[in-house]
Amino acid sequence: DTGVSQDPRHKITKRGQNVTFRCDPISEHNRLYWYRQTLGQGPEFLTYFQNEAQLEKSRLLSDRFSAERPKGSFSTLEIQRTEQGDSAMYLCASSEVDTQYFGPGTRLTVL
Amino acid sequence: AQSVSQHNHHVILSEAASLELGCNYSYGGTVNLFWYVQYPGQHLQLLLKYFSGDPLVKGIKGFEAEFIKSKFSFNLRKPSVQWSDTAEYFCAVNPSGTYKYIFGTGTRLKVLA
């Protein structure tokens, strides 16, 4: 068990560009979560997948954000037309039931 | 709006001191409650959780938390902290019937050797 992995670990982009992050959960975990964390704040829930189905999405999430989990294994989070306010740590977590295992995160900086 | 409050943002203690970190949430229905910890350079990991039953739950490394429904609180305690407890601690709430987890802003604990 190698844990939850995320790629890339760091991403610097210019405002207006699109970015995509990948999360590989622990292999037997069917639940997958995306969070965003800014400095001095706790993780903010973005979306939840059970297998390939996206069952919950934060109302705070703008239309520029989209997430997929096409085969119920890895997941991608895409941000279109990035803004400086999107700069944050993007965390992925997976679980079998209720204990979430977090990945190291992808730190996004939008210039 | 549903929220989780952690009033202590920074706590500094000497080794062997007792610890209590506050967590209050605003949600009128049934909730599942969690404490997560992030040690320096490591990922967030579960410390303990409460779903139902005995409101006093025990977690790893000697931590415990008490759910007081009337106060909407789930405070974290440890009778005697160690230097290795230096970390950031997050309280989280999962309203029953949802998949959403709401985290507090975290408490940075520094334990002096």
Side-chain angles (χ1 to χ4, degrees):
Chain A
D1 178 6
T2 57
V4 178
S5 61
Q6 293 186 243
D7 184 70
R9 296 290 304 276
H10 302 272
K11 177 71 177 178
I12 300 174
T13 191
K14 292 183 179 178
R15 191 176 52 188
Q17 298 295 304
N18 299 344
V19 294
T20 300
F21 309 140
R22 177 181 170 122
C23 170
D24 286 90
I26 293 171
S27 57
E28 63 268 25
H29 288 180
N30 61 352
R31 302 182 183 194
L32 188 145
Y33 305 79
W34 283 100
Y35 294 88
R36 176 173 61 191
Q37 186 175 19
T38 53
L39 200 62
Q41 301 296 316
E44 176 190 6
F45 172 83
L46 294 178
T47 192
Y48 165 76
F49 288 88
Q50 188 158 315
N51 299 310
E52 66 275 8
Q54 187 174 23
L55 297 185
E56 190 156 356
K57 185 176 174 180
S58 170
R59 285 174 289 177
L60 300 173
L61 210 59
S62 79
D63 291 342
R64 297 184 297 106
F65 287 71
S66 62
E68 293 183 339
R69 195 182 182 198
K71 297 181 180 179
S73 56
F74 74 92
S75 176
T76 58
L77 176 70
E78 181 183 18
I79 309 174
Q80 296 183 327
R81 305 180 303 281
T82 52
E83 302 172 357
Q84 286 185 323
D86 297 331
S87 294
M89 178 75 86
Y90 289 84
L91 297 168
C92 175
S94 71
S95 71
E96 200 167 9
V97 185
D98 52 68
T99 298
Q100 292 183 50
Y101 294 83
F102 282 82
T106 294
R107 183 169 294 284
L108 172 66
T109 302
V110 181
L111 302 177
Chain B
Q2 300 158 351
S3 64
V4 176
S5 297
Q6 292 183 244
H7 303 294
N8 312 103
H9 297 295
H10 292 89
V11 174
I12 301 175
L13 296 173
S14 297
E15 273 195 316
S18 64
L19 170 73
E20 181 160 3
L21 301 181
C23 172
N24 288 87
Y25 64 92
S26 62
Y27 182 73
T30 304
V31 294
N32 302 313
L33 297 156
F34 305 81
W35 276 96
Y36 279 83
V37 61
Q38 187 165 24
Y39 297 103
Q42 296 187 26
H43 310 168
L44 275 162
Q45 57 184 279
L46 183 70
L47 203 53
L48 50 77
K49 59 188 176 185
Y50 172 81
F51 279 69
S52 63
D54 188 345
L56 185 63
V57 293
K58 295 190 185 300
I60 60 172
K61 304 187 180 186
F63 285 91
E64 64 179 32
E66 184 176 13
F67 171 49
I68 303 179
K69 190 174 180 179
S70 61
K71 294 185 177 180
F72 299 91
S73 70
F74 189 55
N75 292 354
L76 181 70
R77 299 196 293 249
K78 186 171 184 179
S80 176
V81 294
Q82 300 173 311
W83 177 81
S84 57
D85 293 325
T86 293
E88 190 159 19
Y89 294 81
F90 293 93
C91 180
V93 169
N94 163 232
S96 289
T98 78
Y99 302 107
K100 181 171 58 176
Y101 284 68
I102 305 161
F103 281 76
T105 53
T107 297
R108 285 189 183 272
L109 170 66
K110 185 176 178 64
V111 180
L112 305 174

